[in-house]
């Protein structure tokens, strides 16, 4: 699906241009044109990019086949950028979904191409339709709005993860489970994944804010610098969150270990308390105390009374001794 | 609640200005005006900020809705800053309480806006009332006094945490508990939280001390540089404290593990000492030693004496053997 | 085996030059010559390098004896480079196989020497034969193509390792084995090995992209800069993967520990449940309950019934108590 | 106690100046004056610092109340410095004792103030009395000698800690105790403490060696640079020592764990060897083998012989099986 | 022992100069003189260094008393350097032996002083005797050769340690012993020791390659830069090796833990399997089954058959249950 927004010099907004209109709009240095190729088949994209905008075939090939790394390529009178939109669903197996956004930026046009619907593009598109002021600041400013919205989503993801870590920390002390452990490791992996996504996008924004591109006027550097600062801060927060997940893992292991130790200690104490009893009953179960008369007295009532007292007081004594040594 | 301090050029201090006085005071380039909007409702704040001081609607909106990151925005003849006041109550669930302070700094006025009472503002306000010298050095110096007081509170928090770590270290060796563990992890989280609060404020102070703002004269850079150094040192101390909590956690785990091992070893030794006794009593409890006469001699007094000697000396021998191998 | 590619100024491609042709080609400043010495014996290499190209004997010695560190040596009108080709077979004992590639780069020639077949050289060689455009951009661009292909293989290796880590993470939660552990450590070692290979090659590319070499025109710096960026990114990814293997190891240990704890707990619970039973049966196995009549009643049917009830209900009671304390 | 050293231009050394002499000496731009205020009461210090040397009241207040952070304040024709002397007694509860030294440095005088006796000051004082050459190089050089001596003490402390770590490493393998563990953690804390002391002093020396102070001639920068290098190296060594204590802790835990495992394994093996014996004796203790005649044969001599053989050979067989599996 | 090498301007090599010859040689700006003081007593060294070469008494004192840190001191027309030679014997208690080498470098002479025989000095000395070309490039180049040889030894040590780590990694999986653990920690300590030795030597070479010394011509900077790069790479490799020893320690602990767990599990399973048997035999050992007739039937043949079946099938059942839960 191809859709177009075209703001002429006199402030008129045209949508859904025909091919001819589009060609004229692409050549108009005073207007502002935004073409969004949303899940458009390759065959219909190519002529638009090559014939109408005159992009280099190599750049077009690069854009249409799904590349894998955010980057910025300077082609002189236009630049080609790759960004990644992000979506986070913590309950999923693969919670971080990334969608590639390819952008061609010229002095007075912006061409976006993506194979899946991108929320940020919908968002900015609607804003532009409602209020042409968003378009009137030029193509570079439009790009800035788009990137700013894309990166703002990362912040949302980071906030979600931060909240999940809080939940897990509570869970670790109250009710640590194997699932808690799996969740901690999943968060750790997500944070490593996030950082890996942000680093190349940070590089792209660093270039946008510092390097002189023909199509970006110096005054816009400060906007991209702003988003760059945003990503740097995101990276800092991600590092904090990694510290927190590491801390949560240590907590989990300590708590589980403590619990396990308590269980094992109690069970072992029970076993130990019964050991002397087993000996005493075994002792009076020996055949000495039955067959020959001189030993017969040992099986008398007095002996039984003493035995039962031993059976009662030995475990009690051991229990008190363990108690004093603070084992329980 | 709105309150005002206005030092005229001739050293006279006026408080509680009327709206008209306020408008004149805001325009007076020779005086010094401090307006504090303490939990003032939005509706009454807006006209003051917009109409009297003429701040840009965007800046005012930004100030009145609670933002989340300390920052400095340069609006030319005034700057807008966000700081965070801190309060620490170690016994609480959420021990670190932060309150936002929004500041507008002009050449000769300071406007502070906050939704909760801020101790540092009370503090500086009273000092100014008592002694107008604090006001006479200009708006930038007043801002410096305020920030210095705000950051000094962080130092108090860090000192409190440092003392708590000392207490916990003693507790770890004398009486390690599950609570000790929870306390260690709480301190770790607080330190991560503190660092996250300080990093953006450090950036703000770095900008205040280096970047040229129209409203801050070059000579004041050295003051903000001082507070910046203070935050850098705070960060260093926080890193040391994180090392110390990490060390305390290692200690806790080692000590608890050692204790647990001692208990399990002693219990297992007791069990092991009784094992041969159980065998001996079981051996002479077998029916061989009763029924048929040729084996009857085994149940005689001599056999019993030998048996009892075994029952006494086998555990003693095992005990001595364990002792020699330094198990106890 | 020696093979040659020689593109004359008029775009003619000559292969398999004779020694005389080769000498003329090496002197021709307008053509482009690529000589590949593939597993060629030392005796036949030396005269080519020394007599035809006039390389310094020290440089030739250095090239022909297998050196160990990637580097670049500037000899003025030619430079000498060492790179490492990589091959990864995850199932092998030593999964990372590296092969040295020695390169002499002049203004209009490239000499490659290697003791094992190198896939990247075959690859570029075939491309050049098919399409002389690859040659027509000059010797430095040819070198760039070769290095780019060599480094691209590292990316493949890193991708393979990344996939393996994914597999291992699944395995860790579903079925952790001693082999899983060995695999994690093998991956860790491979990543350390990879990083150690990349660091000096990164330095070489840094020099190629920054330092002025007589034989590389300034315009090619951007190509080598591109490969340099690629290696920097590879290093970042390797760091992420090391974090992930560290995380996988923690996971493995936590899961194995949890499982072991479960087993030990269950077994210890079984043992503990039988302890009171052993005592009860031992108690009624004592000789008191048989020999003398006043105690004879203890062995009556009522006593047996109570005993059996004890034998049934004591373990049930203990089981319920353990259950309530959430031990199972 | 106040004491003075005053070297006049003609090389004469005067000690114990009267108040009048002191005032003249403080004004003499050609001489060199060192005033040491050793545990002098505040009341008698103030007039000396304020009236004789003319220091700013704020600087004097700062000096006389015990501050907590090493620093350097530039007051124009004099600078104020805070340093920390160190003393280490490894056997103490709080082994690192620090004492503050406050220094005022002018072009031709040095004023030191301290509330406890400082070994380094005694040391340099005596050197100066013995040999006036130490004084003749000027006040900045005298300060350098003092700081150099103060920092040299840190090196001694670091050496002591280094030796202690060596001792502990030996102890860990030969005879690990709870005390060893406490010692390791004490060393860890001391090293964190040391680093925290050194960092701000390093900053002070960095400023002394780089920043231009009016009272320090450029040629002395190299001396302070030397002490700065010394502190940087101290920091490196402290990092190494922290690695070594970390390593010692790992060692301790591994060794203690290994020992504990050996003990538990041996005890468990003993228990396990007795389990079948208990079963065998229990089996022949059942009442089947006594009461009814057809089963009576089971209690004959042959059965007993077989039983005793089982009792002997089952544990031997189990022992050999365990041995073959390398459990012992 | 003092020995001398003296290359005159006309290429003549003189050895074993007399004191007078030495004095003339030290003054000859066109020749090259190398004096090696190998374990020479202090009394005979001093006059040579002070009177013949005219070194400053402080520099000579510094050289003759064993100092402890590699460094370079610039004395104008000569520089004083301290380096450390290294020897590694992995089987020793203290495997890393370092020997100090003190060097005075002038424009046309080199004086080396050492209290133990240094292999690198022997090596270069012999090379110089065989081939005067090594001398003819000047004193700075001679120094470069010496340092290069000294640092090359560090590489050998690092290679040895690297091989040892490989051996230990194999051992860890095949046969982990207490000795393996001690070996891992010894390697860790050696690597920390090595790094501590290299850091100050790296600083010395950094200064040699960057800072302008009067006695080193700018063109030699590139040689020292080469050795500097070498040390930087050594440091990188040492970091990798530390990662590998850390990894080997983790492996050791995991493997030993796994083995221990297997042993404990098997032993505990055996114990658990015998628990019900002990109960069954105890049950039928109770006196109920003997004395009174109505219960007598319980000791009949059928009951015995059922009992024996229980004794056989209960452990089999438990074994199968454990098996299904994958405990074995």
């Amino acid at each position: 699906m191809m859709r177009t927004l075209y703001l002429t010099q006199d402030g008129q907004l045209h949508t859904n241009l025909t091919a001819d209109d589009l060609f004229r709009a692409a050549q108009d240095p005073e207007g502002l044109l935004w073409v969004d190729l949303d899940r458009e088949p390759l065959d219909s994209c190519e002529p638009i990019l090559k014939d109408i905008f005159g992009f280099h075939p190599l750049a077009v090939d690069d854009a249409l086949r799904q590349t894998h790394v955010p980057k910025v390529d300077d082609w002189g009178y236009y630049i080609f950028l790759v960004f990644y939109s992000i979506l986070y669903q913590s309950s999923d197996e693969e919670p971080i979904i990334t969608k590639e956004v390819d952008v061609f930026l010229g002095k007075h046009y912006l061409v976006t191409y993506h194979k899946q619907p991108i929320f940020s593009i919908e968002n900015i598109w609607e804003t532009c339709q409602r209020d042409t002021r968003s378009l009137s600041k030029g193509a570079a400013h439009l790009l800035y709005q788009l990137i700013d919205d894309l990166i703002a989503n990362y912040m949302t993801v980071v906030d979600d993860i931060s909240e999940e870590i809080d939940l897990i920390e509570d869970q670790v002390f109250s009710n640590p489970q194997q699932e808690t452990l799996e969740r901690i490791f999943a968060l750790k992996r997500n944070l490593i994944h996030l950082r890996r996504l942000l680093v190349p996008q940070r590089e792209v924004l660093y270039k946008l804010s510092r390097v002189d591109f023909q199509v970006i006027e110096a005054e816009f550097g400060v906007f991209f610098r702003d988003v760059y600062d945003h990503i740097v801060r995101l990276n800092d927060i991600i590092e904090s969150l990694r510290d927190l997940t590491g801390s949560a893992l240590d907590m989990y292991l300590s708590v589980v270990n403590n619990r396990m130790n308590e269980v094992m200690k109690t069970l072992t104490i029970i076993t130990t308390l019964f050991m002397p009893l087993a000996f005493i009953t075994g002792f009076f179960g020996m055949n000495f105390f039955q067959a020959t008369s001189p030993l017969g007295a040992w099986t008398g009532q007095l002996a039984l009374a003493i035995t039962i007292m031993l059976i009662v007081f030995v475990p009690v004594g051991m229990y008190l001794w363990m108690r004093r040594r603070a084992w329980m």
Side-chain angles (χ1 to χ4, degrees), chain A residues 179-196:
Chain A
E179 288 86 70
T180 320
L181 190 65
E182 291 181 28
R183 202 71 214 113
I184 290 169
F185 282 116
L187 284 175
K188 253 182 129 174
R189 267 202 308 276
N190 291 347
L191 288 168
I192 293 172
H193 190 172
L194 260 183
R195 200 183 46 174
R196 215 155 128 188

Side-chain angles (χ1 to χ4, degrees), chain A residues 262-304:
Chain A
E262 279 310 302
V263 173
M264 291 304 284
K265 205 166 66 180
T266 311
L267 292 175
T268 312
I269 285 169
I270 292 172
T271 303
T272 310
L273 289 178
F274 276 104
M275 276 327 278
L277 303 189
F279 166 67
I280 292 163
T281 58
F283 187 82
F284 289 98
M286 291 198 296
N287 287 312
F288 300 107
F289 307 110
Q290 199 172 11
T292 46
S293 57
L295 299 171
W298 285 62
T299 56
Q301 294 195 35
L302 183 69
L304 178 60

Side-chain angles (χ1 to χ4, degrees), chain A residues 15 21 45 77 81 84 113 117 124 148 194 196 209 245 250 255 263 285:
Chain A
T15 54
D21 290 343
C45 283
Y77 68 95
L81 300 113
Y84 272 88
Y113 171 77
I124 304 296
D148 195 41
L194 260 183
R196 215 155 128 188
S209 68
T245 51
D250 287 349
V255 169
V263 173

Side-chain angles (χ1 to χ4, degrees), chain A residues 90-159:
Chain A
S90 79
S91 56
D92 280 21
E93 181 85 1
E94 287 292 330
I96 293 176
I97 297 157
T98 55
K99 300 174 191 165
E100 191 179 328
V101 184
D102 298 325
V103 180
F104 288 90
L105 173 75
K107 265 278 185 202
H108 56 284
Y109 58 78
L110 189 76
V111 182
T112 49
Y113 171 77
H114 44 101
K115 293 198 175 132
Q116 289 135 311
I118 306 287
F119 185 75
S120 292
I121 288 181
E122 292 311 312
N123 202 3
I124 304 296
W125 191 272
E126 277 170 33
T127 309
C128 289
Q129 276 184 314
R130 274 204 311 275
D131 183 355
T132 57
R133 270 183 304 173
S134 299
L135 288 169
S136 63
K137 288 172 193 157
H141 193 266
L142 191 59
L143 174 67
Y144 153 71
Q145 289 175 69
L146 180 58
I147 298 175
D148 195 41
D149 203 290
L150 283 169
I151 298 302
N153 285 335
Y154 285 83
M155 195 62 224
T156 323
V157 174
V158 164
D159 282 344

Side-chain angles (χ1 to χ4, degrees), chain A residues 178-244:
Chain A
Q178 172 88 13
E179 288 86 70
T180 320
L181 190 65
E182 291 181 28
R183 202 71 214 113
I184 290 169
F185 282 116
L187 284 175
K188 253 182 129 174
R189 267 202 308 276
N190 291 347
L191 288 168
I192 293 172
H193 190 172
L194 260 183
R195 200 183 46 174
R196 215 155 128 188
L197 275 171
L198 279 172
V199 168
Q201 306 206 57
R202 188 186 65 197
E203 292 311 297
V204 171
L205 278 156
Y206 183 81
K207 283 179 188 164
L208 286 178
S209 68
R210 303 288 162 95
V211 179
D212 288 313
F213 292 107
Q214 200 179 314
V215 295
I216 300 177
E217 277 156 61
E219 58 183 283
F220 287 110
V222 75
F223 290 105
F224 294 113
R225 169 76 213 221
D226 207 62
V227 190
Y228 172 76
D229 283 354
H230 202 160
I231 299 189
V232 168
R233 185 150 302 153
L234 266 170
N235 257 322
D236 284 353
I237 297 172
I238 287 171
E239 284 310 302
S240 295
L241 293 179
R242 292 186 67 203
D243 284 352
L244 284 171

